[in-house]
Amino acid sequence: ISCFAIVSLSKDGSVLTNILNHWGIDVIRGSSSNNGKEALQSAVDELQKGRTFLITPDGPKGPRNHMKPGAVIAAFRASMPLFLCRIDCSSAYRFKKSWDLFSLPLPFATINVHYTKIDPIQDQSNREEIQDIIHSCEHILNGDSLHV
């Protein structure tokens, strides 16, 4: 699978970029607060080439568990489906000082990965419908029972 990720221009983003590059994942640098428009257009271009897009939808500054519109807009503009991935862990160390309360699974923890496919968004969708899709995706990622 040929994939790429959008990673913030922060110091933490530089660390993540190095890890992803080591794993063979290309990186586009940018975020909703810095170089976002350019990063989003680059993501759409790469999606149209058939590549897989990886993104943390609430980053880089949060608020935690609130999805930013970038992934949904990129999927809409590229006429591609969106795949949501939520991870649950039976036991983990939680970094209480991080903005997103980042968790590191502990040894022997059970990790469950949940995927949900969101079909391509219709061209005739208006801003309100796209906003509804973003909210539905947010509920799915947070483990709520509401689905798209």
Side-chain angles (χ1 to χ4, degrees):
I1 296 175
S2 175
C3 59
F4 68 97
I6 290 184
V7 178
S8 78
L9 293 164
S10 67
K11 277 195 247 181
D12 289 348
S14 294
V15 173
L16 181 56
T17 294
N18 290 335
I19 293 168
L20 292 174
N21 286 160
H22 180 75
W23 291 343
I25 298 172
D26 295 328
V27 171
I28 296 170
R29 298 298 299 270
S31 65
S32 58
S33 58
N34 193 350
N35 200 40
K37 187 175 182 180
E38 296 83 359
L40 180 61
Q41 185 56 54
S42 294
V44 170
D45 294 343
E46 294 300 313
L47 282 167
Q48 290 173 330
K49 294 176 188 174
R51 300 190 72 202
T52 301
F53 176 29
L54 309 171
I55 188 170
T56 303
D58 62 356
K61 296 180 180 176
R64 183 172 69 91
N65 296 332
H66 290 280
M67 185 170 180
K68 300 272 182 24
V72 172
I73 291 170
F76 170 69
R77 289 183 182 170
S79 300
M80 301 292 286
L82 184 64
F83 292 89
L84 305 176
C85 177
R86 180 174 57 86
I87 299 170
D88 295 323
C89 183
S90 64
S91 60
Y93 175 79
R94 190 170 299 262
F95 292 83
K96 292 183 170 102
K97 291 186 179 183
S98 68
W99 70 268
D100 60 353
L101 299 177
F102 185 80
S103 295
L104 179 65
L106 294 173
F108 310 108
T110 300
I111 300 171
N112 295 304
V113 181
H114 309 271
Y115 294 98
T116 303
K117 179 183 178 186
I118 307 299
D119 290 323
I121 301 164
Q122 302 302 313
D123 284 339
Q124 64 271 20
S125 296
N126 61 38
R127 185 173 286 231
E128 185 177 304
E129 291 168 327
I130 291 173
Q131 192 63 39
D132 289 344
I133 293 168
I134 292 167
H135 287 300
S136 294
C137 290
E138 186 176 286
H139 286 288
I140 291 167
L141 289 169
N142 290 329
D144 299 340
S145 60
L146 177 66
H147 293 282
V148 176

